[in-house]
Amino acid sequence: MDRIIVRQSGPLEGDVHINGAKNSVLKLMAASALAPGDYLLHNVPAITDVDVMAELLRAMGMTVASPGPGDLEIRNPGGLTPEAPYELVEQMRASIVVMGPLLAAYGEARVALPGGDDFGPRPIDMHLKAVELLGVTFESAHGYIHARADNLVGARVLLEFPSVGATENVMMAAVRAKGQTVIENAAREPEIADLAAFLNRMGAKILGAGTSTISIEGVDELTSVEHTVVPDRIEAATYLAAVGIAGGELTLVGARPDHMDMLCQKVGEMGVRTSTDPDGLWAMANHRLRAVDLATLPYPGVATDYKPFLVAMLSVADGVSIVTENIFSGRFRYVDELIRMGADIRTEGHHAVIRGRAALSGAPVRCHDIRAGAALVVAALAAEGETEIRDPDHIDRGYSDLVEQLQAVGADVTRVRD
Ligand code: UD1
């Protein structure tokens, strides 16, 4: 089994390069099921979740190839098999976003039901309720949902929570529906705006993506396109945490500071200085971090995906912080690993109370998911001795070069391959 070995490091100095956003590229790949033709995506991260989505597209009948670093060519020959098999949905829950495009293109989709995961149960009831309003009917048997719609019809869809996946699924179903669809209380994440930009380039008529009200005028025809994936704000958060924890000065080349306003504000309260830079985002930390309270919220609030990094930072900050999780239940599992590294954290329901320590203590720890795994790597920069991080394949789902990029800015991080 591979391991990542980290020794106390810092200050960090230099440039890191922000790759394309995982949470955008997966949806753009799914959207290529909407119309036959050749698609070309740029700024695609070399991560295993992209490999799983590529497998899913192949299982449906498409071809996927990487002609060069960061590029992905997708050929949709038409006549796809409208199905997302269990083996792939089980590996990656985001696979369920193929439902919207398949319904739009073929009037049906057979999608395996995702199970729960480390964040607790993650139902898809909002996805189903939303597309049902467009005229979709469902049958569920043998672990699959079979969705059908002879004619998709535009409708007003009021989401009870601004779910990212539900907003994307209904947006992709609605692009070919007859008439207008209006999504209210839509998720506002930058990755939703990126998906809408991709769809509009294909010929869709979407207004308001990135705000709470998205209107979609159905069209009869869509065509394949070329598109550059928006940068990954969560990967950028990883390096902001690294510089906050280890000290130093980094430029996050390619980052979009305008997508990270609230994060910059929060890390600013902790003592990390940030500034928009012609290349992306500049960040510097030269004192011990300060404790702050924070609560996760849908965008533009503090993203739940940032939380493991913020908790890692607060573990070594001066003072006591309270962190509240409002998006997912049970998303504190990595806290036990930080405690193994000497962090003083008490969780109670969806709250965590963190008493900052001057330093952590290197220990063997285990990754449970993508961001939590990466957070252990950056926390270990402030741990005396050596930290051994096991199961780093979770990190590979969302990072192509975390170890190499940290090494390049002076961190003592290596991957041991067995
Ligand atoms: C996406 C992101 C994930 C991020 C999350 C919230 C991808 C691949 N993943 O996940 O990294 O943490 O947004 O920003 O883009 N819910 C329901 N019923 C539903 C749908 C969601 O109850 O039908 C609940 C979920 O359990 C959760 C909350 O709504 O508590 C938010 O989920 P959602 O925004 O849908 O997250 P994902 O799209 O799954």
Side-chain angles (χ1 to χ4, degrees):
M1 288 297 272
D2 282 11
R3 287 157 293 141
I4 293 174
I5 309 289
V6 186
R7 291 185 196 84
Q8 196 168 23
S9 307
L12 307 179
E13 187 83 53
D15 292 353
V16 289
H17 295 266
I18 304 306
N19 294 284
K22 172 181 86 70
N23 287 355
S24 181
V25 69
L26 298 175
K27 322 305 169 60
L28 304 180
M29 291 173 76
S32 67
L34 274 165
D38 293 335
Y39 297 79
L40 181 57
L41 294 175
H42 303 292
N43 205 25
V44 174
I47 55 177
T48 54
D49 270 12
V50 165
D51 298 339
V52 176
M53 186 54 90
E55 271 315 299
L56 175 53
L57 300 189
R58 289 189 190 107
M60 296 192 302
M62 296 193 237
T63 55
V64 185
S66 175
D71 288 344
L72 200 69
E73 248 171 24
I74 299 168
R75 169 162 293 182
N76 176 346
L80 301 179
T81 307
E83 177 171 316
Y86 178 63
E87 301 74 55
L88 296 171
V89 177
E90 179 202 33
Q91 278 183 60
M92 191 181 67
R93 202 181 172 284
S95 308
I96 58 170
V97 292
V98 298
M99 182 167 64
L102 290 175
L103 280 167
Y106 299 98
E108 68 169 327
R110 243 173 71 81
V111 178
L113 277 168
D117 58 17
D118 276 352
F119 310 156
R122 293 175 76 178
I124 57 164
D125 55 315
M126 281 186 237
H127 297 237
L128 302 184
K129 259 197 228 166
V131 293
E132 197 170 22
L133 293 167
L134 272 56
V136 178
T137 56
F138 301 101
E139 271 168 46
S140 110
H142 311 297
Y144 278 77
I145 291 226
H146 195 170
R148 275 204 198 88
D150 292 335
N151 292 299
L152 286 168
V153 188
R156 173 175 179 260
V157 177
L158 172 59
L159 293 176
E160 60 188 78
F161 182 90
S163 152
V164 171
T167 302
E168 292 165 337
N169 247 332
V170 72
M171 196 160 81
M172 289 193 276
V175 289
R176 291 284 311 275
K178 196 170 165 45
Q180 193 188 45
T181 298
V182 177
I183 311 173
E184 288 181 42
N185 199 23
R188 290 184 273 170
E189 273 70 2
E191 295 77 23
I192 304 246
D194 198 32
L195 174 60
F198 179 88
L199 296 170
N200 281 341
R201 207 168 272 195
M202 288 179 73
K205 291 188 176 158
I206 303 173
L207 288 175
T211 75
S212 300
T213 306
I214 302 178
S215 71
I216 304 140
E217 194 65 50
V219 295
D220 290 334
E221 208 187 328
L222 296 165
T223 52
S224 59
V225 289
E226 183 173 345
H227 183 88
T228 300
V229 183
V230 76
D232 198 321
R233 63 200 163 93
I234 307 164
E235 184 189 27
T238 316
Y239 296 112
L240 277 184
V243 76
I245 287 170
E249 191 174 336
L250 292 182
T251 302
L252 280 49
V253 177
R256 285 277 302 261
D258 55 323
H259 292 170
M260 299 160 64
D261 273 346
M262 185 61 77
L263 178 68
C264 289
Q265 186 173 311
K266 273 292 161 196
V267 299
E269 288 169 25
M270 290 185 206
V272 179
R273 282 167 56 193
T274 59
S275 170
T276 299
D277 181 275
D279 290 333
L281 178 69
W282 169 90
M284 185 176 94
N286 51 12
H287 294 292
R288 184 169 175 200
L289 298 172
R290 289 185 292 274
V292 299
D293 293 342
L294 57 94
T296 61
L297 280 173
Y299 191 86
V302 177
T304 180
D305 291 353
Y306 295 152
K307 199 188 55 188
F309 307 116
L310 297 169
V311 169
M313 293 169 89
L314 296 172
S315 300
V316 290
D318 187 13
V320 181
S321 311
I322 299 175
V323 171
T324 304
E325 171 61 56
N326 290 315
I327 311 294
F328 290 106
S329 56
R331 212 179 190 188
F332 275 119
R333 202 165 150 197
Y334 60 95
V335 160
D336 292 337
E337 307 296 319
L338 285 173
I339 292 171
R340 290 181 51 71
M341 293 167 66
D344 183 348
I345 307 175
R346 230 188 67 205
T347 55
E348 181 70 54
H350 62 134
H351 303 288
V353 178
I354 304 155
R355 292 182 173 78
R357 286 263 163 91
L360 300 177
S361 164
V365 289
R366 197 171 289 284
C367 295
H368 295 293
D369 76 67
I370 307 172
R371 307 301 172 184
L376 294 175
V377 175
V378 297
L381 298 172
E384 285 159 358
E386 187 177 286
T387 302
E388 181 186 297
I389 296 148
R390 298 181 183 168
D391 294 343
D393 46 319
H394 286 284
I395 297 177
D396 301 337
R397 289 188 53 194
Y399 294 84
S400 55
D401 50 13
L402 179 67
V403 167
E404 294 78 2
Q405 294 227 62
L406 286 172
Q407 277 171 354
V409 293
D412 190 345
V413 183
T414 46
R415 180 147 179 165
V416 179
R417 295 178 195 271
D418 286 338

